[in-house]
Amino acid sequence: MAQETAISDPAGSDRAGWYLLGPAFVAAIAYVDPGNVAANVSSGAKFGYLLLWVIIAANVMAGLVQYLSAKLGLVTGHSLPEAIGRGMGRPTRLAFWAQAEIVAMSTDVAEVIGGAIALRILFGLPLPLGGLITGAISLVLLLIKDRRGQRLFEAVITGLLLVIALGFTASFFVATPPAGEVMSGLVPRFQGAESVLLAAAILGATVMPHAVYLHSGLARDRHGRPEAGTPRRRLLRITRWDVGVAMVIAGGVNAAMLLVAAFNMRGHGDVASIEDAYGAVRTTLGPTIAVLFAVGLLASGLASSSVGAYAGAMIMQGLLHWSVPMVVRRLVTLGPAIALLALNVDPTRTLVLSQVVLSFGIPFAVLPLVRLTANRKLMGTDANHPATTVVGWVVAVMISLLNVALIYLTVTG
């Protein structure tokens, strides 16, 4: 990835810090992808407000992981894939790349299918055609990054994030969930084995490995490698704001998905797919809100598909030192999704299975990240505080175990 010149504030203060925000908003798209839509809507439709606390907890953990990833890129000048690969021999790097590539391609399958479902809802397009259109538009977004720079790419992705937020929160302008029931969802508890499975799906698939790999490179490419001392401390402070604001938006969107389903879909029959959810929204809230829901889903598929392909390119470059043209990579990774759609495989079931495959990659991204950012020799004075390291290890191990639970419950359920 071409590294852009760091953008500085001539005043040397935080007054223009907003101008430096952006990388976290790109990474946050991974948290509002079509896989999240399926899990959150299903949770709300089946268990009401019960699992709202899971979304809040998952968002807090994800925020810590994303900040550590951005900090690694800023302090070392290396993306996470580069930092991991530096200590590996060629065979080990190839094996590590293979699992990361499978995860990235699995993620891409979910994003393209989500966009195809949205296009079928909105325009009645066949799923394979919708998948091709999703892939083509995501390629245009990637070309914006290559031709016009990261700032414009971040602005476009942030705009799509706002469209996603509007699409999934529009129903609150029509009907607002009862405050008391919403507050009850903040109390940690379960209701049978199926609620545990859905909680594992939300928690276990929250921290997307491709977003963890990508954020380190995004921060590095946008800001360069600031000098140690005051410039770096200031940029790290702004990065915490960047991550915090982006994750609040992403967490709010995920919570809104669950609340909409809990308030409008519970008791309206089995919501077995995203299209069922659209039908339920249309029945209870009317066609306008339903269309906004579908538009939010489409924006989710388009944005997350381009971000997923971007992450895959960064993983390949960091671990294999290969730079593949984005058009070629987009065509290659689009193939599996289009093939599955052409074979008439159940798209919602494919979304779920893609999240299971993705789960295998979580420990390989999160555990090395905590180890690297705690390394004082590598990070210098910006190494993690011991308390941060302890919390980081707890979060990393917890997320990894939850993904193992998700895989087990999905296979045996």
Side-chain angles (χ1 to χ4, degrees):
M1 300 292 167
Q3 183 168 311
E4 296 188 2
T5 303
I7 301 173
S8 61
D9 171 19
S13 70
D14 288 339
R15 288 179 299 172
W18 62 269
Y19 188 68
L20 301 178
L21 304 181
F25 288 78
V26 176
I29 285 293
Y31 297 93
V32 290
D33 73 350
N36 291 85
V37 177
N40 294 326
V41 168
S42 181
S43 299
K46 291 182 180 178
F47 294 102
Y49 308 95
L50 181 74
L51 299 178
L52 180 60
W53 67 273
V54 179
I55 290 177
I56 304 301
N59 206 60
V60 171
M61 291 191 291
L64 173 62
V65 172
Q66 293 301 145
Y67 172 67
L68 293 182
S69 176
K71 183 169 79 165
L72 177 72
L74 292 173
V75 173
T76 67
H78 298 294
S79 68
L80 179 57
E82 289 172 341
I84 292 173
R86 283 166 66 87
M88 293 179 175
R90 182 173 174 79
T92 307
R93 277 194 295 110
L94 286 172
F96 196 96
W97 167 79
Q99 64 80 27
E101 187 67 41
I102 290 171
V103 166
M105 292 185 71
S106 175
T107 302
D108 208 28
V109 166
E111 328 302 26
V112 171
I113 288 177
I117 292 173
L119 288 170
R120 181 162 75 174
I121 290 172
L122 288 167
F123 306 111
L125 297 180
L127 286 175
L129 178 58
L132 286 171
I133 292 173
T134 300
I137 295 175
S138 68
L139 177 58
V140 171
L141 296 177
L142 291 168
L143 290 175
I144 288 174
K145 194 275 173 189
D146 282 350
R147 304 285 175 82
R148 301 294 298 275
Q150 188 166 324
R151 278 284 304 168
L152 182 59
F153 179 72
E154 289 172 2
V156 172
I157 294 299
T158 301
L160 288 172
L161 179 60
L162 295 178
V163 171
I164 296 166
L166 176 62
F168 291 114
T169 59
S171 66
F172 297 141
F173 294 101
V174 177
T176 305
E181 293 190 47
V182 173
M183 294 301 293
S184 71
L186 300 178
V187 180
R189 65 195 192 284
F190 296 105
Q191 187 179 312
E194 191 173 4
S195 69
V196 177
L197 172 59
L198 284 171
I202 294 171
L203 268 167
T206 289
V207 179
M208 301 291 190
H210 72 287
V212 179
Y213 292 125
L214 179 65
H215 201 167
S216 56
L218 286 170
R220 183 270 318 272
D221 291 348
R222 172 71 183 282
H223 302 304
R225 186 182 181 185
E227 296 180 8
T230 301
R232 184 183 293 169
R233 286 196 300 271
R234 174 176 175 271
L235 196 50
L236 289 173
R237 184 167 62 251
I238 292 171
T239 297
R240 286 193 288 271
W241 277 100
D242 190 26
V243 172
V245 174
M247 295 310 299
V248 165
I249 294 174
V253 171
N254 280 308
M257 294 175 195
L258 185 144
L259 294 175
V260 168
F263 187 56
N264 300 291
M265 302 175 199
R266 197 176 185 193
H268 288 268
D270 184 26
V271 180
S273 69
I274 292 176
E275 288 171 290
D276 290 338
Y278 167 80
V281 170
R282 185 181 178 87
T283 299
T284 56
L285 297 174
T288 300
I289 299 300
V291 167
L292 289 174
F293 178 92
V295 169
L297 176 63
L298 178 59
S300 169
L302 296 175
S304 57
S305 180
S306 62
V307 170
Y310 186 2
M314 186 171 290
I315 290 168
M316 178 176 286
Q317 186 180 54
L319 290 167
L320 300 186
H321 311 300
W322 291 351
S323 183
V324 176
M326 199 59 73
V327 174
V328 174
R329 180 169 182 88
R330 174 72 282 178
L331 292 174
V332 171
T333 57
L334 188 61
I338 300 302
L340 289 170
L341 291 172
L343 291 172
N344 215 20
V345 177
D346 177 19
T348 300
R349 179 62 177 169
T350 304
L351 277 176
V352 173
L353 292 177
S354 72
Q355 300 303 300
V356 175
V357 174
L358 181 151
S359 300
F360 284 101
I362 290 287
F364 296 100
V366 179
L367 295 174
L369 174 65
V370 177
R371 178 180 61 81
L372 288 167
T373 52
N375 186 336
R376 188 162 293 275
K377 184 178 179 181
L378 177 68
M379 302 289 290
T381 57
D382 292 303
N384 294 342
H385 186 279
T388 303
T389 299
V390 170
V391 173
W393 280 118
V394 169
V395 168
V397 172
M398 184 183 302
I399 292 171
S400 299
L401 291 176
L402 284 167
N403 277 278
V404 172
L406 172 62
I407 295 166
Y408 173 78
L409 290 170
T410 303
V411 171
T412 61

